[in-house]
Amino acid sequence: MTSEIIIRYLHFLGIFTLFAALVSEHLLLAKTMKRSEIGRVSILDGVYGIAAVIVLISGLLLWFVVGKPADIYTQNAVFHTKVLLFVIIALISIHPTLFFLKNRKGPAEEEIILPKSIIMVVRMELLLLVILPLLATLMAKGVGYFGG
């Protein structure tokens, strides 16, 4: 029971950190940015990535190791939607991450034009992240369960 509480706590902390890092990242984005600013955003993006890994690992532990039986999750269409959404968010986050990593080095005061696609992807990530708690709530109420 103690391990389940710790893993659930880590899961929630990871979720909160992930969301806070992405919101902070979004607030720092501008049409043109200095490399030093991109460096700061890159650090936030790293925190976002680490938080996503914590959410993933703790989520997998909750699914397969502690907590409810795995079938409760495995036999729930809403859960499958939630996992798919998490994977989509992870995949689309690659584009901004690569841009930040590529453009953070160089003269600190050099201005870089931020492609509109970067801002749009971060906004899409935020939008999709907002849907995840709704899916978790539906799941907790048994919506989508197709098991026996």
Side-chain angles (χ1 to χ4, degrees), residues 28 30 32-42 108 111:
L28 290 176
T32 59
M33 298 178 69
K34 295 179 182 176
R35 285 197 193 271
S36 60
E37 295 169 326
I38 290 176
R40 283 193 290 277
V41 172
S42 183
E111 295 271 331

Side-chain angles (χ1 to χ4, degrees), residues 39-90:
R40 283 193 290 277
V41 172
S42 183
I43 291 169
L44 280 171
D45 199 60
V47 170
Y48 174 70
I50 291 167
V53 169
I54 291 169
V55 170
L56 176 64
I57 291 170
S58 60
L60 289 171
L61 288 172
L62 288 169
W63 185 1
F64 293 113
V65 180
V66 298
K68 299 175 185 175
D71 286 349
I72 289 177
Y73 297 107
T74 306
Q75 297 179 3
N76 189 305
V78 174
F79 177 73
H80 289 279
T81 304
K82 187 175 157 198
V83 170
L84 177 63
L85 208 54
F86 188 81
V87 169
I88 290 169
I89 293 166

Side-chain angles (χ1 to χ4, degrees), residues 8 17 23 26-27 32 35 46-47 58 63 66-67 78 80 82 86 88 93 95 101 104 123 130-131 138 140 143:
R8 284 191 188 283
T17 303
V23 168
H26 180 261
L27 291 173
T32 59
R35 285 197 193 271
V47 170
S58 60
W63 185 1
V66 298
V78 174
H80 289 279
K82 187 175 157 198
F86 188 81
I88 290 169
S93 75
H95 176 56
L101 289 174
R104 68 187 170 148
R123 287 178 180 167
V130 169
I131 297 169
L138 291 171
V143 175

